[in-house]
Structure formats: C-alpha cells, structure tokens
Amino acid sequence: LLIEKEWGSLKDSKGTPYMQHVDMGVAWLKTQPNCDLEVLDAWCVHPMVQDFKGLEENFDKLITLSTAAAVLAVEYRNQANTYSTHNMGIAKPRTRFLEQISLMLKADKLQNGWNLERNRKDHSRYAALTTYFSNWLQVLGVTKEEKLAAYKLFDTMNQN
C-alpha cells in the first residue's frame, strides 16, 4: 500500500503507530454494507493528501489508484477540512456528502474519537476535541450504539 511506504514505521509522541488509524478505519469500513474497494483505497491514502503540502507532494502517486478512489480521497480532504477545531466557533460541519465520503468521515471521526478517549485524556485540548468529534458524529448521524460498536472493534484491535 502507498500509505505503508509513507507511514509504515512512523509513530506519534505516545508511541502509537500512525498506521493504527488507517488499519482501524479499514476494519470499521469493512463492516459497512455500502463500502467498496474505491472507498477502502481512498481511505488508505487520505492521510497523504489531507493538507495542501501532502496533496502537492503525493499528487503523482494518486495515478496508481482508480479514478474513483483518487477523486474520493481528494473530495474527502475537501469535506473534512471545512470544519476543524480551529474554526468550531464560526463554522459547522457540512451536512450533505456523497455516501462514500460519509463513510470515510465516520471512520475518521470514530477512530480519532476513540484514540482521544482511550489514549489522550491528558491532551491540552481534550475538551475542544471531544466537542469537535461529538459535533461531527451528530452531523453524520452516528448513533450511540454505532459509536460503542466501533469503539469495541477498536478496543479488540488494540489488544492484538
């Protein structure tokens, strides 16, 4: 995978492999009935194109993907970046997405929210980040039961 070449051995400040985010997202996406190969491929490269510098540096690598997967990765970037912890007071998450983008956003916000709750309670922006993920999950229509099921999946993966 492209992302493994970029992130394979990288870890965050707590020693968590960057690939955990991608792997857990893939596992969750595979539980979703409308997930297809293009969504999985786009999900796997989304960190490489998340910001402009990444998009610029990795643009030529997108040609190895199907056209649909490349478009989804870039559209995910567009949608995800419209609402961040830096503009929460003045912006709201958009409410209409392609179904594939909605799946990717759910995977991202569920996994990052899980990581925050399980591993980052000491984060200086914990309260703001908790609000941020809650806002996204509400807009995306993720129920409490769906969130708990995702967290259970991630907990199981984290034990292995």
Side-chain angles (χ1 to χ4, degrees), residues 78-94 125 128 132 135-136:
N78 178 45
Q79 297 298 331
N81 289 344
T82 62
Y83 178 70
S84 72
T85 59
H86 303 291
N87 69 3
M88 283 194 320
I90 56 173
K92 297 279 184 211
R94 292 184 182 164
R125 299 187 67 220
Y132 168 79
N135 290 349
W136 265 115

Side-chain angles (χ1 to χ4, degrees), residues 1 24 34 42 73 89 92 109 120 123 128-129 143 151 153 157 159:
L1 292 173
M24 288 181 168
N34 295 326
K92 297 279 184 211
K109 304 318 171 193
R120 305 280 191 265
H123 194 287
L129 290 166
T143 66
Y151 281 26
L153 171 66
M157 291 181 72
Q159 293 171 0

Side-chain angles (χ1 to χ4, degrees), residues 42 62 65-78 98 101:
L62 293 177
L65 302 173
S66 71
T67 302
V71 168
L72 288 172
V74 174
E75 177 61 6
Y76 169 85
R77 170 192 183 274
N78 178 45
L98 293 172
I101 301 303

Side-chain angles (χ1 to χ4, degrees), residues 1-15:
L1 292 173
L2 284 173
I3 192 70
E4 286 177 332
K5 291 178 185 174
E6 299 291 322
W7 276 21
S9 61
L10 297 177
K11 296 182 179 186
D12 67 17
S13 61
K14 299 250 184 189

Side-chain angles (χ1 to χ4, degrees), residues 73-142:
V74 174
E75 177 61 6
Y76 169 85
R77 170 192 183 274
N78 178 45
Q79 297 298 331
N81 289 344
T82 62
Y83 178 70
S84 72
T85 59
H86 303 291
N87 69 3
M88 283 194 320
I90 56 173
K92 297 279 184 211
R94 292 184 182 164
T95 57
R96 292 192 62 209
F97 310 99
L98 293 172
E99 184 175 1
Q100 299 93 324
I101 301 303
S102 180
L103 285 172
M104 293 173 64
L105 286 166
K106 288 176 184 180
D108 185 66
K109 304 318 171 193
L110 286 165
Q111 196 287 323
N112 281 326
W114 171 87
N115 189 44
L116 179 70
E117 288 187 27
R118 297 298 193 266
N119 304 311
R120 305 280 191 265
K121 287 195 174 184
D122 61 343
H123 194 287
S124 63
R125 299 187 67 220
Y126 180 82
L129 290 166
T130 299
T131 299
Y132 168 79
F133 291 122
S134 177
N135 290 349
W136 265 115
L137 294 178
Q138 183 179 5
V139 164
L140 294 166
V142 175

